[in-house]
Amino acid sequence: MEKFKVDKHGYYGKFGGAYIPEMLHKNIEELQNKYLDIIYAPAFQKEFHQLLKDYVGRPTPLYFAKRLSEKYATNIFLKREDLCHTGAHKVNNTIGQILLAQKLGKKRIIAETGAGQHGVATATVCALMNLPCVVYMGEVDIARQAPNVQRMKMLGAEVRPATSGSKTLKDATNEAMRDWIAHPEDTHYIIGSVVGPHPFPDMVARFQSIISEEIRWQLKEQTGSELPNYVIACVGGGSNAAGAFYHFLDDETVQLIAVEAAGEGIHSGKSAATTALGKPGVLHSSKTLFMQTDDGQVVEPHSISAGLDYPGIGPIHAHLFDVGRAKFLSATDEQALDAVLELSRLEGIIPALESAHAFAILSEIGVKKDDTVVINLSGRGDKDLDTYLKRIAL
Ligand SMILES: *Cc1c(COP(=O)(O)O)cnc(C)c1O
């Protein structure tokens, strides 16, 4: 029954665990011991679902995309996470974690961010709950993601530059860990994807699992069956995919398809296709697959979409790949850009660059006329308009 979910030691098969410094043992142990009791307490569930409804705007629609379906000669439904408050699925998780932080009595929130989407989702819930918020962000990312830095400041968060190493996401993650070690008592670290030490991957997957919970009843309402033939989602760390897959993991007739960013091509040296290029090792305090040199140093990833520009995947996805429960494909920058324009013109929906990767492989999976295909549209494209205007010939 639970062969695809986390075991009591925090592992998904060979992957997962909590490889943390001694100084964080108390915090992590507290979380491990308490998170399930806290998040499944009736009062917590009531508050969480109320906020998802009134603040985030859930349930998000499951939309039958008629023209896209005609083009691919099948039946395609879009799960509209792009319509969530702040423009993507990330807020499902930050709402859950801010409530958890309150129950733990924490008085201060820290987070790391690459593109700034998770930083914005965290700054948003900190404003909502009146908690001080520090977001670590690589200096390079601060320069290239200025609008999100401005949003975080507007929301009252402090954005602290990470100035070591490549000055990008992994350096911001190191800085956030360092901060947490220095302030273990009063601070909660809101991790933004299904990554990091146990219990974060499982906790984030549970908060995001609202996506597949809704898909099941929405499909039943529209087609008479809860089970599609395919669920497709893009994978950076893997939180939107974990949420879209979660309640289908044990229904093995449902084919789960994860799409990674191939960047300029899997073997171009500028890619983020972790399952094709990665090896097992410890990244961000958990055992998982990530792109590394022969001596285990992280290889800098590349993707045109900042949200997929991550050198690893969460341990749940390493496991789903390892046992073959999910199929992993990849799409290049160019394929994603083509998919952006196609969805814009066929359905009047401008997707986020990340989400476009999930659409880019539609012609590769052999869908049939009677199939039901669900694509998780993880976010909207407003944040990517500059890139679109530079890269797409209109
Ligand atoms: C952050 C982001 C992603 C990638 O993160 P996951 O944890 O893999 O979901 C995908 N889509 C959008 C719109 C994002 O903002």
Side-chain angles (χ1 to χ4, degrees), residues 108-355:
R108 176 175 175 269
I109 299 295
I110 58 171
E112 87 295 333
T113 196
Q117 295 300 105
H118 173 58
V120 170
T122 303
T124 298
V125 298
C126 287
L128 181 69
M129 298 302 179
N130 191 27
L131 284 174
C133 177
V134 175
V135 179
Y136 289 92
M137 190 168 183
E139 213 168 35
V140 167
D141 292 332
I142 289 180
R144 63 184 177 184
Q145 306 290 337
N148 276 338
V149 175
Q150 288 154 355
R151 274 182 202 112
M152 286 184 262
K153 289 185 177 165
M154 186 81 201
L155 292 160
E158 181 193 341
V159 180
R160 280 195 202 159
T163 55
S164 63
S166 56
K167 307 182 174 61
T168 58
L169 180 60
K170 74 173 165 42
D171 312 291
T173 301
N174 291 338
E175 292 296 328
M177 275 289 180
R178 225 164 275 149
D179 181 314
W180 208 21
I181 290 167
H183 306 95
E185 297 290 328
D186 67 338
T187 297
H188 178 65
Y189 176 15
I190 299 191
I191 290 181
S193 189
V194 286
V195 300
H198 176 67
F200 281 98
D202 183 52
M203 183 163 71
V204 176
R206 285 171 192 266
F207 289 142
Q208 292 293 359
S209 74
I210 186 71
I211 297 172
S212 47
E213 190 181 316
E214 289 173 5
I215 292 172
R216 284 187 80 113
W217 64 256
Q218 289 172 319
L219 259 190
K220 172 99 180 167
E221 228 172 58
Q222 294 186 49
T223 69
S225 167
E226 291 182 20
L227 300 182
N229 299 88
Y230 295 91
V231 178
I232 309 174
C234 66
V235 174
S239 69
N240 88 88
F245 295 170
Y246 197 86
H247 291 288
F248 297 111
L249 286 170
D250 298 325
D251 296 298
E252 297 196 40
T253 60
V254 180
Q255 296 194 50
L256 308 175
I257 302 203
V259 186
E260 297 181 310
E264 295 181 7
I266 291 178
H267 300 293
S268 65
K270 296 189 82 178
S271 168
T274 302
T275 55
L277 300 170
K279 285 183 299 193
V282 173
L283 176 72
H284 205 162
S285 310
S286 79
K287 186 149 182 236
T288 192
L289 290 173
F290 69 98
M291 306 191 316
Q292 52 187 290
T293 59
D294 287 339
D295 53 2
Q297 296 300 308
V298 176
V299 169
E300 203 57 35
H302 167 82
S303 166
I304 191 174
S305 78
L308 304 185
D309 201 352
Y310 184 69
I313 49 176
I316 184 172
H317 294 295
H319 180 57
L320 295 177
F321 173 70
D322 189 44
V323 298
R325 174 66 187 94
K327 185 168 177 177
F328 282 70
L329 300 174
S330 65
T332 63
D333 294 349
E334 288 302 327
Q335 289 174 311
L337 288 165
D338 290 345
V340 167
L341 194 60
E342 180 174 271
L343 190 66
S344 302
R345 297 288 167 89
L346 284 178
E347 296 291 344
I349 298 171
I350 303 174
L353 255 172
E354 292 83 2
S355 322

